[in-house]
Amino acid sequence: MNKIKRKLFSMEAILDSRTINEQLYFLVKWAGYPISQSTWEKADKVPADSNMISEYKMSVQMLGKTFYFDPLDQPPQIEDFLEVPPKKSELSIFNTKLSEFQHQINNLKDDVRFILQSQLRLIKELKMSKNVIHHYDLQRSPASQDKQLSIQSDIMQQYQQSALINYDGSFEQGDKVEKIGRAVQNKKTKIKMYYILWKRRNNGQIPKNSWVESEKMMENDPVKVCQYLWNKLY
């Protein structure tokens, strides 16, 4: 009886291999049985003195993992023998990364109001300084007037230079994005913003960094947005 059993269930060849939970399994073809009745066995079930493993590796090197493929006689899947966790689909991976991006943006959205308010205060201060210069008391002595005019000239020159360098950049003026500095979302309006560092213009001017809405960024330069989100993730 033992001889008959060994004959009925003797291993003929190894057709495939998989590693599950750090355990190596072989797909064993049994002598006298079709491929569809092959079974997945742990590596230690294969006799150590047989040449089946070396023959299997050689077949894979020469013909690839599908060397045993027969459309009329499909081998069983390892999932039929073991509880193998399903692989995450590309859509699932994308949704996970998208959720991480959204979480990062939500953590930054409180800052946008403070930065916008700071910019408004700076603009008001510049306007006030300009008005003070224009309405400066010119009723003083000639020497004092000359001194004040000199101060006024210096301040105006500095203001004009500052205006050349710090003029707000925008897509409407044909400016190009150098890179994205940060991203935020306003709590109340839910508007997402990106802090943009602009490239130098052809005339040599350097546009001032400015905030741009997410929709406008996606419309004008989606590549920079993708690069920024990818860098934030990794």
Side-chain angles (χ1 to χ4, degrees):
M1 185 68 179
N2 291 337
K3 291 182 179 179
I4 297 174
K5 187 175 181 180
R6 282 197 295 273
K7 182 179 179 181
L8 291 174
F9 295 97
S10 61
M11 294 182 179
E12 180 180 326
I14 295 176
L15 306 181
D16 200 356
S17 64
R18 288 281 298 275
T19 300
I20 305 295
N21 296 328
E22 299 182 358
Q23 173 66 57
L24 178 61
Y25 292 84
F26 288 119
L27 180 61
V28 176
K29 166 73 169 63
W30 299 96
Y33 291 87
I35 290 178
S36 59
Q37 294 186 26
S38 302
T39 59
W40 287 89
E41 306 290 342
K42 290 183 179 180
D44 55 13
K45 295 292 181 68
V46 179
D49 57 349
S50 70
N51 295 324
M52 285 185 290
I53 295 178
S54 59
E55 291 175 354
Y56 163 71
K57 292 180 179 178
M58 185 178 298
S59 298
V60 171
Q61 290 178 355
M62 295 177 62
L63 305 173
K65 281 235 176 186
T66 57
F67 67 89
Y68 62 85
F69 178 72
D70 183 353
L72 300 178
D73 191 14
Q74 292 287 349
Q77 300 297 314
I78 195 168
E79 288 81 359
D80 299 332
F81 292 78
L82 302 172
E83 292 185 4
V84 180
K87 293 183 178 179
K88 284 188 175 181
S89 65
E90 293 185 1
L91 179 60
S92 175
I93 295 173
F94 174 79
N95 288 334
T96 300
K97 291 184 178 180
L98 185 62
S99 178
E100 293 174 354
F101 291 150
Q102 187 62 50
H103 180 68
Q104 292 176 358
I105 292 173
N106 289 339
N107 289 338
L108 296 171
K109 61 185 179 181
D110 289 337
D111 295 340
V112 67
R113 182 184 304 170
F114 172 78
I115 294 175
L116 291 175
Q117 290 176 347
S118 299
Q119 288 182 335
L120 290 174
R121 284 197 299 269
L122 179 60
I123 292 173
K124 289 180 180 180
E125 290 174 359
L126 288 173
K127 288 182 177 180
M128 290 178 61
S129 299
K130 187 176 181 180
N131 291 335
V132 168
I133 292 173
H134 282 300
H135 295 89
Y136 196 84
D137 184 6
L138 299 178
Q139 303 300 322
R140 298 171 180 267
S141 63
S144 177
Q145 290 182 15
D146 292 341
K147 184 177 180 180
Q148 295 303 324
L149 287 173
S150 176
I151 294 174
Q152 176 181 343
S153 176
D154 292 341
I155 293 176
M156 287 299 297
Q157 185 176 1
Q158 292 177 4
Y159 178 82
Q160 290 172 355
Q161 291 177 352
S162 175
L164 275 176
I165 296 175
N166 294 323
Y167 194 85
D168 285 354
S170 68
F171 290 113
E172 288 77 9
Q173 298 181 80
D175 293 322
K176 303 295 183 182
V177 177
E178 178 69 30
K179 72 176 204 176
I180 298 175
R182 63 187 306 182
V184 295
Q185 184 178 33
N186 190 289
K187 279 186 175 181
K188 290 186 177 180
T189 63
K190 302 300 182 182
I191 296 176
K192 300 174 184 178
M193 307 284 290
Y194 290 100
Y195 190 61
I196 306 304
L197 285 70
W198 301 95
K199 291 184 177 180
R200 183 187 296 271
R201 294 173 181 167
N202 294 333
N203 61 5
Q205 293 179 346
I206 304 174
K208 182 181 176 182
N209 303 339
S210 59
W211 288 91
V212 178
E213 293 183 6
S214 175
E215 292 184 0
K216 186 174 289 187
M217 275 298 303
M218 290 300 296
E219 179 182 350
N220 289 275
D221 199 343
V223 174
K224 281 292 192 299
V225 176
C226 293
Q227 290 175 348
Y228 170 79
L229 295 176
W230 182 263
N231 292 334
K232 293 294 289 183
L233 180 61
Y234 294 97

